[in-house]
PDB file of all heavy atoms in Angstrom:
ATOM      1  N   LEU O 991      94.105  14.905 -65.126  1.00 84.00           N
ATOM      2  CA  LEU O 991      93.426  15.019 -63.832  1.00 84.00           C
ATOM      3  C   LEU O 991      93.476  13.694 -63.081  1.00 84.00           C
ATOM      4  O   LEU O 991      93.766  13.658 -61.880  1.00 84.00           O
ATOM      5  CB  LEU O 991      91.977  15.452 -64.044  1.00 84.00           C
ATOM      6  CG  LEU O 991      91.102  15.515 -62.790  1.00 84.00           C
ATOM      7  CD1 LEU O 991      91.664  16.531 -61.800  1.00 84.00           C
ATOM      8  CD2 LEU O 991      89.657  15.854 -63.153  1.00 84.00           C
ATOM      9  N   GLY O 992      93.184  12.597 -63.785  1.00 89.00           N
ATOM     10  CA  GLY O 992      93.257  11.294 -63.136  1.00 89.00           C
ATOM     11  C   GLY O 992      94.655  10.985 -62.648  1.00 89.00           C
ATOM     12  O   GLY O 992      94.846  10.476 -61.528  1.00 89.00           O
ATOM     13  N   ALA O 993      95.658  11.302 -63.478  1.00 81.00           N
ATOM     14  CA  ALA O 993      97.043  11.085 -63.063  1.00 81.00           C
ATOM     15  C   ALA O 993      97.408  11.950 -61.874  1.00 81.00           C
ATOM     16  O   ALA O 993      98.106  11.509 -60.945  1.00 81.00           O
ATOM     17  CB  ALA O 993      97.981  11.366 -64.239  1.00 81.00           C
ATOM     18  N   THR O 994      96.928  13.198 -61.888  1.00 77.00           N
ATOM     19  CA  THR O 994      97.230  14.129 -60.805  1.00 77.00           C
ATOM     20  C   THR O 994      96.617  13.668 -59.488  1.00 77.00           C
ATOM     21  O   THR O 994      97.276  13.684 -58.435  1.00 77.00           O
ATOM     22  CB  THR O 994      96.715  15.533 -61.156  1.00 77.00           C
ATOM     23  OG1 THR O 994      97.327  15.967 -62.368  1.00 77.00           O
ATOM     24  CG2 THR O 994      97.027  16.524 -60.053  1.00 77.00           C
ATOM     25  N   LEU O 995      95.364  13.271 -59.531  1.00 86.00           N
ATOM     26  CA  LEU O 995      94.700  12.802 -58.319  1.00 86.00           C
ATOM     27  C   LEU O 995      95.434  11.617 -57.715  1.00 86.00           C
ATOM     28  O   LEU O 995      95.683  11.568 -56.505  1.00 86.00           O
ATOM     29  CB  LEU O 995      93.250  12.418 -58.637  1.00 86.00           C
ATOM     30  CG  LEU O 995      92.267  13.555 -58.888  1.00 86.00           C
ATOM     31  CD1 LEU O 995      90.932  12.999 -59.370  1.00 86.00           C
ATOM     32  CD2 LEU O 995      92.071  14.385 -57.624  1.00 86.00           C
ATOM     33  N   ALA O 996      95.802  10.672 -58.576  1.00 88.00           N
ATOM     34  CA  ALA O 996      96.467   9.468 -58.077  1.00 88.00           C
ATOM     35  C   ALA O 996      97.833   9.787 -57.490  1.00 88.00           C
ATOM     36  O   ALA O 996      98.213   9.250 -56.449  1.00 88.00           O
ATOM     37  CB  ALA O 996      96.587   8.443 -59.201  1.00 88.00           C
ATOM     38  N   ALA O 997      98.587  10.669 -58.170  1.00 78.00           N
ATOM     39  CA  ALA O 997      99.916  11.019 -57.675  1.00 78.00           C
ATOM     40  C   ALA O 997      99.856  11.840 -56.400  1.00 78.00           C
ATOM     41  O   ALA O 997     100.698  11.696 -55.510  1.00 78.00           O
ATOM     42  CB  ALA O 997     100.683  11.788 -58.755  1.00 78.00           C
ATOM     43  N   GLY O 998      98.845  12.704 -56.288  1.00 80.00           N
ATOM     44  CA  GLY O 998      98.795  13.648 -55.180  1.00 80.00           C
ATOM     45  C   GLY O 998      98.160  13.136 -53.911  1.00 80.00           C
ATOM     46  O   GLY O 998      98.571  13.531 -52.813  1.00 80.00           O
ATOM     47  N   ILE O 999      97.164  12.256 -54.023  1.00 89.00           N
ATOM     48  CA  ILE O 999      96.428  11.875 -52.816  1.00 89.00           C
ATOM     49  C   ILE O 999      96.634  10.428 -52.396  1.00 89.00           C
ATOM     50  O   ILE O 999      96.118  10.022 -51.347  1.00 89.00           O
ATOM     51  CB  ILE O 999      94.917  12.141 -52.980  1.00 89.00           C
ATOM     52  CG1 ILE O 999      94.274  11.145 -53.953  1.00 89.00           C
ATOM     53  CG2 ILE O 999      94.663  13.563 -53.427  1.00 89.00           C
ATOM     54  CD1 ILE O 999      92.763  11.249 -54.002  1.00 89.00           C
ATOM     55  N   THR O1000      97.395   9.646 -53.155  1.00 90.00           N
ATOM     56  CA  THR O1000      97.562   8.246 -52.780  1.00 90.00           C
ATOM     57  C   THR O1000      98.315   8.099 -51.459  1.00 90.00           C
ATOM     58  O   THR O1000      97.954   7.255 -50.627  1.00 90.00           O
ATOM     59  CB  THR O1000      98.294   7.468 -53.892  1.00 90.00           C
ATOM     60  OG1 THR O1000      97.526   7.531 -55.092  1.00 90.00           O
ATOM     61  CG2 THR O1000      98.467   6.011 -53.511  1.00 90.00           C
ATOM     62  N   VAL O1001      99.355   8.910 -51.249  1.00 88.00           N
ATOM     63  CA  VAL O1001     100.080   8.842 -49.969  1.00 88.00           C
ATOM     64  C   VAL O1001      99.194   9.264 -48.800  1.00 88.00           C
ATOM     65  O   VAL O1001      99.113   8.542 -47.791  1.00 88.00           O
ATOM     66  CB  VAL O1001     101.369   9.694 -50.024  1.00 88.00           C
ATOM     67  CG1 VAL O1001     101.987   9.821 -48.633  1.00 88.00           C
ATOM     68  CG2 VAL O1001     102.374   9.062 -50.977  1.00 88.00           C
ATOM     69  N   PRO O1002      98.488  10.421 -48.867  1.00 91.00           N
ATOM     70  CA  PRO O1002      97.574  10.734 -47.766  1.00 91.00           C
ATOM     71  C   PRO O1002      96.492   9.680 -47.554  1.00 91.00           C
ATOM     72  O   PRO O1002      96.124   9.394 -46.412  1.00 91.00           O
ATOM     73  CB  PRO O1002      96.966  12.080 -48.195  1.00 91.00           C
ATOM     74  CG  PRO O1002      97.970  12.692 -49.098  1.00 91.00           C
ATOM     75  CD  PRO O1002      98.583  11.537 -49.828  1.00 91.00           C
ATOM     76  N   VAL O1003      95.982   9.104 -48.628  1.00 92.00           N
ATOM     77  CA  VAL O1003      94.973   8.055 -48.487  1.00 92.00           C
ATOM     78  C   VAL O1003      95.565   6.836 -47.787  1.00 92.00           C
ATOM     79  O   VAL O1003      94.909   6.196 -46.961  1.00 92.00           O
ATOM     80  CB  VAL O1003      94.395   7.666 -49.867  1.00 92.00           C
ATOM     81  CG1 VAL O1003      93.567   6.391 -49.781  1.00 92.00           C
ATOM     82  CG2 VAL O1003      93.545   8.802 -50.417  1.00 92.00           C
ATOM     83  N   SER O1004      96.815   6.511 -48.096  1.00 90.00           N
ATOM     84  CA  SER O1004      97.456   5.365 -47.429  1.00 90.00           C
ATOM     85  C   SER O1004      97.598   5.611 -45.936  1.00 90.00           C
ATOM     86  O   SER O1004      97.438   4.687 -45.121  1.00 90.00           O
ATOM     87  CB  SER O1004      98.828   5.082 -48.058  1.00 90.00           C
ATOM     88  OG  SER O1004      99.767   6.075 -47.707  1.00 90.00           O
ATOM     89  N   GLU O1005      97.903   6.855 -45.561  1.00 89.00           N
ATOM     90  CA  GLU O1005      98.007   7.194 -44.138  1.00 89.00           C
ATOM     91  C   GLU O1005      96.633   7.159 -43.467  1.00 89.00           C
ATOM     92  O   GLU O1005      96.505   6.733 -42.312  1.00 89.00           O
ATOM     93  CB  GLU O1005      98.642   8.575 -43.988  1.00 89.00           C
ATOM     94  CG  GLU O1005     100.085   8.627 -44.506  1.00 89.00           C
ATOM     95  CD  GLU O1005     100.635  10.038 -44.554  1.00 89.00           C
ATOM     96  OE1 GLU O1005      99.839  10.991 -44.325  1.00 89.00           O
ATOM     97  OE2 GLU O1005     101.844  10.201 -44.828  1.00 89.00           O
ATOM     98  N   TRP O1006      95.621   7.577 -44.200  1.00 92.00           N
ATOM     99  CA  TRP O1006      94.266   7.604 -43.649  1.00 92.00           C
ATOM    100  C   TRP O1006      93.692   6.191 -43.503  1.00 92.00           C
ATOM    101  O   TRP O1006      93.064   5.861 -42.499  1.00 92.00           O
ATOM    102  CB  TRP O1006      93.377   8.454 -44.565  1.00 92.00           C
ATOM    103  CG  TRP O1006      91.952   8.545 -44.122  1.00 92.00           C
ATOM    104  CD1 TRP O1006      91.494   8.872 -42.887  1.00 92.00           C
ATOM    105  CD2 TRP O1006      90.802   8.299 -44.931  1.00 92.00           C
ATOM    106  NE1 TRP O1006      90.116   8.860 -42.857  1.00 92.00           N
ATOM    107  CE2 TRP O1006      89.663   8.510 -44.103  1.00 92.00           C
ATOM    108  CE3 TRP O1006      90.604   7.952 -46.258  1.00 92.00           C
ATOM    109  CZ2 TRP O1006      88.362   8.352 -44.576  1.00 92.00           C
ATOM    110  CZ3 TRP O1006      89.318   7.805 -46.735  1.00 92.00           C
ATOM    111  CH2 TRP O1006      88.213   7.996 -45.895  1.00 92.00           C
ATOM    112  N   LEU O1007      93.932   5.364 -44.510  1.00 90.00           N
ATOM    113  CA  LEU O1007      93.372   4.012 -44.495  1.00 90.00           C
ATOM    114  C   LEU O1007      94.251   3.005 -43.761  1.00 90.00           C
ATOM    115  O   LEU O1007      93.808   1.891 -43.471  1.00 90.00           O
ATOM    116  CB  LEU O1007      93.136   3.526 -45.934  1.00 90.00           C
ATOM    117  CG  LEU O1007      92.084   4.287 -46.743  1.00 90.00           C
ATOM    118  CD1 LEU O1007      91.986   3.710 -48.146  1.00 90.00           C
ATOM    119  CD2 LEU O1007      90.714   4.216 -46.053  1.00 90.00           C
ATOM    120  N   GLY O1008      95.495   3.387 -43.480  1.00 85.00           N
ATOM    121  CA  GLY O1008      96.344   2.503 -42.695  1.00 85.00           C
ATOM    122  C   GLY O1008      97.254   1.598 -43.495  1.00 85.00           C
ATOM    123  O   GLY O1008      97.617   0.514 -43.009  1.00 85.00           O
ATOM    124  N   GLY O1009      97.668   2.003 -44.692  1.00 87.00           N
ATOM    125  CA  GLY O1009      98.627   1.193 -45.424  1.00 87.00           C
ATOM    126  C   GLY O1009      98.558   1.417 -46.922  1.00 87.00           C
ATOM    127  O   GLY O1009      97.531   1.848 -47.468  1.00 87.00           O
ATOM    128  N   TRP O1010      99.676   1.116 -47.601  1.00 88.00           N
ATOM    129  CA  TRP O1010      99.753   1.359 -49.042  1.00 88.00           C
ATOM    130  C   TRP O1010      98.835   0.426 -49.822  1.00 88.00           C
ATOM    131  O   TRP O1010      98.362   0.782 -50.898  1.00 88.00           O
ATOM    132  CB  TRP O1010     101.190   1.242 -49.528  1.00 88.00           C
ATOM    133  CG  TRP O1010     101.830  -0.115 -49.360  1.00 88.00           C
ATOM    134  CD1 TRP O1010     102.575  -0.553 -48.305  1.00 88.00           C
ATOM    135  CD2 TRP O1010     101.779  -1.196 -50.298  1.00 88.00           C
ATOM    136  NE1 TRP O1010     102.999  -1.835 -48.512  1.00 88.00           N
ATOM    137  CE2 TRP O1010     102.523  -2.262 -49.735  1.00 88.00           C
ATOM    138  CE3 TRP O1010     101.186  -1.383 -51.551  1.00 88.00           C
ATOM    139  CZ2 TRP O1010     102.693  -3.492 -50.380  1.00 88.00           C
ATOM    140  CZ3 TRP O1010     101.342  -2.606 -52.194  1.00 88.00           C
ATOM    141  CH2 TRP O1010     102.081  -3.649 -51.613  1.00 88.00           C
ATOM    142  N   ARG O1011      98.569  -0.764 -49.279  1.00 90.00           N
ATOM    143  CA  ARG O1011      97.708  -1.705 -50.002  1.00 90.00           C
ATOM    144  C   ARG O1011      96.283  -1.162 -50.137  1.00 90.00           C
ATOM    145  O   ARG O1011      95.663  -1.243 -51.204  1.00 90.00           O
ATOM    146  CB  ARG O1011      97.702  -3.056 -49.299  1.00 90.00           C
ATOM    147  CG  ARG O1011      99.007  -3.835 -49.447  1.00 90.00           C
ATOM    148  CD  ARG O1011      98.949  -5.176 -48.722  1.00 90.00           C
ATOM    149  NE  ARG O1011     100.099  -6.004 -49.052  1.00 90.00           N
ATOM    150  CZ  ARG O1011     101.268  -5.940 -48.423  1.00 90.00           C
ATOM    151  NH1 ARG O1011     101.441  -5.057 -47.426  1.00 90.00           N
ATOM    152  NH2 ARG O1011     102.262  -6.729 -48.784  1.00 90.00           N
ATOM    153  N   TRP O1012      95.756  -0.613 -49.057  1.00 93.00           N
ATOM    154  CA  TRP O1012      94.406  -0.045 -49.113  1.00 93.00           C
ATOM    155  C   TRP O1012      94.349   1.144 -50.064  1.00 93.00           C
ATOM    156  O   TRP O1012      93.349   1.348 -50.774  1.00 93.00           O
ATOM    157  CB  TRP O1012      93.963   0.370 -47.714  1.00 93.00           C
ATOM    158  CG  TRP O1012      93.629  -0.785 -46.820  1.00 93.00           C
ATOM    159  CD1 TRP O1012      94.387  -1.267 -45.785  1.00 93.00           C
ATOM    160  CD2 TRP O1012      92.472  -1.605 -46.885  1.00 93.00           C
ATOM    161  NE1 TRP O1012      93.772  -2.340 -45.205  1.00 93.00           N
ATOM    162  CE2 TRP O1012      92.584  -2.573 -45.858  1.00 93.00           C
ATOM    163  CE3 TRP O1012      91.349  -1.621 -47.705  1.00 93.00           C
ATOM    164  CZ2 TRP O1012      91.621  -3.536 -45.630  1.00 93.00           C
ATOM    165  CZ3 TRP O1012      90.371  -2.590 -47.479  1.00 93.00           C
ATOM    166  CH2 TRP O1012      90.516  -3.531 -46.457  1.00 93.00           C
ATOM    167  N   ALA O1013      95.414   1.939 -50.072  1.00 93.00           N
ATOM    168  CA  ALA O1013      95.440   3.115 -50.945  1.00 93.00           C
ATOM    169  C   ALA O1013      95.402   2.704 -52.414  1.00 93.00           C
ATOM    170  O   ALA O1013      94.653   3.280 -53.216  1.00 93.00           O
ATOM    171  CB  ALA O1013      96.677   3.959 -50.663  1.00 93.00           C
ATOM    172  N   LEU O1014      96.195   1.701 -52.789  1.00 93.00           N
ATOM    173  CA  LEU O1014      96.181   1.242 -54.174  1.00 93.00           C
ATOM    174  C   LEU O1014      94.840   0.619 -54.541  1.00 93.00           C
ATOM    175  O   LEU O1014      94.311   0.843 -55.630  1.00 93.00           O
ATOM    176  CB  LEU O1014      97.318   0.240 -54.413  1.00 93.00           C
ATOM    177  CG  LEU O1014      98.738   0.796 -54.412  1.00 93.00           C
ATOM    178  CD1 LEU O1014      99.735  -0.320 -54.754  1.00 93.00           C
ATOM    179  CD2 LEU O1014      98.891   1.943 -55.400  1.00 93.00           C
ATOM    180  N   ALA O1015      94.284  -0.177 -53.643  1.00 94.00           N
ATOM    181  CA  ALA O1015      93.009  -0.843 -53.929  1.00 94.00           C
ATOM    182  C   ALA O1015      91.863   0.147 -54.072  1.00 94.00           C
ATOM    183  O   ALA O1015      90.892  -0.114 -54.802  1.00 94.00           O
ATOM    184  CB  ALA O1015      92.690  -1.854 -52.835  1.00 94.00           C
ATOM    185  N   SER O1016      91.965   1.289 -53.409  1.00 94.00           N
ATOM    186  CA  SER O1016      90.858   2.250 -53.428  1.00 94.00           C
ATOM    187  C   SER O1016      90.582   2.790 -54.821  1.00 94.00           C
ATOM    188  O   SER O1016      89.461   3.234 -55.112  1.00 94.00           O
ATOM    189  CB  SER O1016      91.148   3.410 -52.470  1.00 94.00           C
ATOM    190  OG  SER O1016      92.252   4.183 -52.929  1.00 94.00           O
ATOM    191  N   TRP O1017      91.556   2.752 -55.737  1.00 95.00           N
ATOM    192  CA  TRP O1017      91.342   3.282 -57.081  1.00 95.00           C
ATOM    193  C   TRP O1017      90.407   2.407 -57.903  1.00 95.00           C
ATOM    194  O   TRP O1017      89.882   2.842 -58.925  1.00 95.00           O
ATOM    195  CB  TRP O1017      92.673   3.488 -57.792  1.00 95.00           C
ATOM    196  CG  TRP O1017      93.446   4.601 -57.158  1.00 95.00           C
ATOM    197  CD1 TRP O1017      94.526   4.507 -56.340  1.00 95.00           C
ATOM    198  CD2 TRP O1017      93.134   5.996 -57.233  1.00 95.00           C
ATOM    199  NE1 TRP O1017      94.929   5.746 -55.914  1.00 95.00           N
ATOM    200  CE2 TRP O1017      94.085   6.684 -56.452  1.00 95.00           C
ATOM    201  CE3 TRP O1017      92.155   6.738 -57.893  1.00 95.00           C
ATOM    202  CZ2 TRP O1017      94.080   8.072 -56.310  1.00 95.00           C
ATOM    203  CZ3 TRP O1017      92.151   8.113 -57.756  1.00 95.00           C
ATOM    204  CH2 TRP O1017      93.098   8.767 -56.970  1.00 95.00           C
ATOM    205  N   GLY O1018      90.168   1.184 -57.447  1.00 95.00           N
ATOM    206  CA  GLY O1018      89.170   0.357 -58.103  1.00 95.00           C
ATOM    207  C   GLY O1018      87.769   0.933 -57.976  1.00 95.00           C
ATOM    208  O   GLY O1018      86.908   0.689 -58.838  1.00 95.00           O
ATOM    209  N   LEU O1019      87.524   1.699 -56.906  1.00 95.00           N
ATOM    210  CA  LEU O1019      86.207   2.310 -56.725  1.00 95.00           C
ATOM    211  C   LEU O1019      85.925   3.363 -57.790  1.00 95.00           C
ATOM    212  O   LEU O1019      84.792   3.495 -58.258  1.00 95.00           O
ATOM    213  CB  LEU O1019      86.121   2.935 -55.331  1.00 95.00           C
ATOM    214  CG  LEU O1019      86.238   1.976 -54.143  1.00 95.00           C
ATOM    215  CD1 LEU O1019      86.243   2.757 -52.826  1.00 95.00           C
ATOM    216  CD2 LEU O1019      85.083   0.970 -54.164  1.00 95.00           C
ATOM    217  N   LEU O1020      86.953   4.116 -58.170  1.00 95.00           N
ATOM    218  CA  LEU O1020      86.764   5.129 -59.210  1.00 95.00           C
ATOM    219  C   LEU O1020      86.415   4.468 -60.546  1.00 95.00           C
ATOM    220  O   LEU O1020      85.550   4.945 -61.276  1.00 95.00           O
ATOM    221  CB  LEU O1020      88.034   5.966 -59.354  1.00 95.00           C
ATOM    222  CG  LEU O1020      87.973   7.140 -60.331  1.00 95.00           C
ATOM    223  CD1 LEU O1020      86.964   8.182 -59.869  1.00 95.00           C
ATOM    224  CD2 LEU O1020      89.358   7.781 -60.492  1.00 95.00           C
ATOM    225  N   ALA O1021      87.074   3.363 -60.834  1.00 95.00           N
ATOM    226  CA  ALA O1021      86.754   2.634 -62.064  1.00 95.00           C
ATOM    227  C   ALA O1021      85.343   2.061 -62.013  1.00 95.00           C
ATOM    228  O   ALA O1021      84.631   2.039 -63.029  1.00 95.00           O
ATOM    229  CB  ALA O1021      87.772   1.518 -62.288  1.00 95.00           C
TER     230      ALA O1021
END
């Protein structure tokens, strides 16, 4: 599930947040 969420929503999150850096950093919140 964790792998699926990261693979499936990281690109949309990057578009929403305005860049790939924000999308990658956002996974720190889940941890």
Side-chain angles (χ1 to χ4, degrees):
L991 176 61
T994 301
L995 287 172
I999 72 172
T1000 300
V1001 170
V1003 168
S1004 72
E1005 296 171 352
W1006 179 50
L1007 295 179
W1010 62 268
R1011 288 180 170 86
W1012 287 105
L1014 290 184
S1016 67
W1017 291 105
L1019 297 176
L1020 184 64

